[in-house]
């Protein structure tokens, strides 16, 4: 049976500002949980320990294609970036409303939404709480901060990778000893 080449990421920002990521990518030692947590931490200005990455639990993660080849970070990471971009845009609209500014005046940096040309700002966690408490409804928005994104590349992805194995072979017995093995992947930004 065939399968798609897409991948899914669901991102949920809790009222506390902590973040849960649900991904169809199931790491098998590649460290993608750490990479995904770092991507979210960088996007929202929260600590990496404030991000929980959930994978491999089909009771919770209901969408995804999986890990094979070199697609985890390339395809799954792109889906994650799309989801964080959607949340950041919504959070920016909420912050602009609460800060009595236009959306164009508000920028997310260093974990806070800043109004250009002023000292006014709101932390990402404050906006997350406001999005959930919804004491001041934002016209055209729904409560909460969450997004689901699916990414399907237009072609096959081949990230750059290299493997180096240093071995020593006993000339008399032919016995092989691996002295060092190094593997590096570079998927770009």
């Amino acid at each position: 049976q065939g399968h798609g080449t897409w991948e899914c990421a669901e991102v949920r920002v809790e009222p506390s500002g902590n973040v849960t990521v649900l991904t169809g990518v199931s790491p098998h030692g590649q460290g993608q949980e750490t990479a995904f947590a770092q991507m979210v931490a960088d996007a929202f200005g929260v600590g990496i320990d404030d991000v929980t990455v959930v994978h491999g639990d089909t009771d919770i993660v209901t969408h995804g294609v999986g890990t094979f080849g070199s697609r985890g970070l390339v395809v799954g990471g792109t889906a994650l970036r799309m989801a964080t971009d959607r949340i950041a845009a919504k959070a920016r609209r909420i912050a602009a409303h609460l800060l009595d500014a236009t959306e164009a005046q508000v920028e997310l940096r260093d974990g806070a939404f800043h109004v250009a040309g002023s000292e006014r700002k709101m932390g990402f966690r404050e906006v997350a709480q406001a999005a959930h408490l919804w004491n001041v409804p934002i016209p055209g928005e729904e409560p909460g901060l969450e997004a689901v994104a699916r990414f399907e590349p237009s072609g096959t992805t081949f990230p750059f990778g290299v493997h180096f194995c240093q071995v020593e072979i006993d000339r008399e017995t032919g016995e092989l000893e691996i002295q060092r093995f190094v593997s590096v992947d570079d998927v770009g930004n």
Side-chain angles (χ1 to χ4, degrees):
Q1 188 72 334
H3 55 78
T5 58
W6 59 275
E7 194 50 70
C8 181
E10 182 174 348
V11 179
R12 299 176 186 162
V13 180
E14 306 301 330
S16 65
N18 288 358
V19 184
T20 301
V21 174
L22 307 176
T23 178
V25 172
S26 276
H28 301 119
Q30 301 97 322
Q32 289 155 340
E33 321 88 305
T34 303
F36 288 172
Q38 186 64 60
M39 288 174 65
V40 171
D42 290 349
F44 300 144
V46 299
I48 194 168
D49 292 334
D50 298 326
V51 181
T52 301
V53 178
V54 179
H55 61 85
D57 184 341
T58 56
D59 284 338
I60 299 170
V61 181
T62 58
H63 305 288
V65 174
T67 300
F68 50 92
S70 301
R71 70 185 302 278
L73 196 55
V74 175
V75 183
T78 301
L80 178 59
R81 175 64 186 265
M82 290 166 60
T84 58
D85 284 352
R86 290 174 187 167
I87 290 172
K90 180 178 180 180
R92 184 172 160 222
R93 292 189 301 270
I94 292 170
H97 184 79
L98 296 173
L99 291 166
D100 194 29
T102 66
E103 191 180 335
Q105 293 175 300
V106 177
E107 176 187 17
L108 173 59
R109 69 175 189 281
D110 304 323
F113 292 91
H114 299 262
V115 177
S118 80
E119 297 295 317
R120 291 178 296 158
K121 68 179 182 178
M122 267 186 99
F124 179 80
R125 292 181 184 280
E126 292 176 274
V127 174
Q129 185 178 45
H132 286 83
L133 292 179
W134 217 241
N135 293 331
V136 181
I138 313 303
E141 298 291 346
E142 295 178 356
L145 282 178
E146 58 189 30
V148 177
R150 289 174 183 81
F151 173 70
E152 181 164 11
S154 59
T156 305
T157 60
F158 293 99
F160 174 82
V162 64
H163 296 261
F164 171 78
C165 186
Q166 180 180 341
V167 298
E168 184 175 288
I169 302 173
D170 184 310
R171 290 181 191 258
E172 293 180 20
T173 66
E175 187 175 320
L176 179 128
E177 178 187 340
I178 296 176
Q179 295 180 323
R180 186 174 177 210
F181 186 87
V182 178
S183 176
V184 178
D185 288 316
D186 181 2
V187 298
N189 293 332

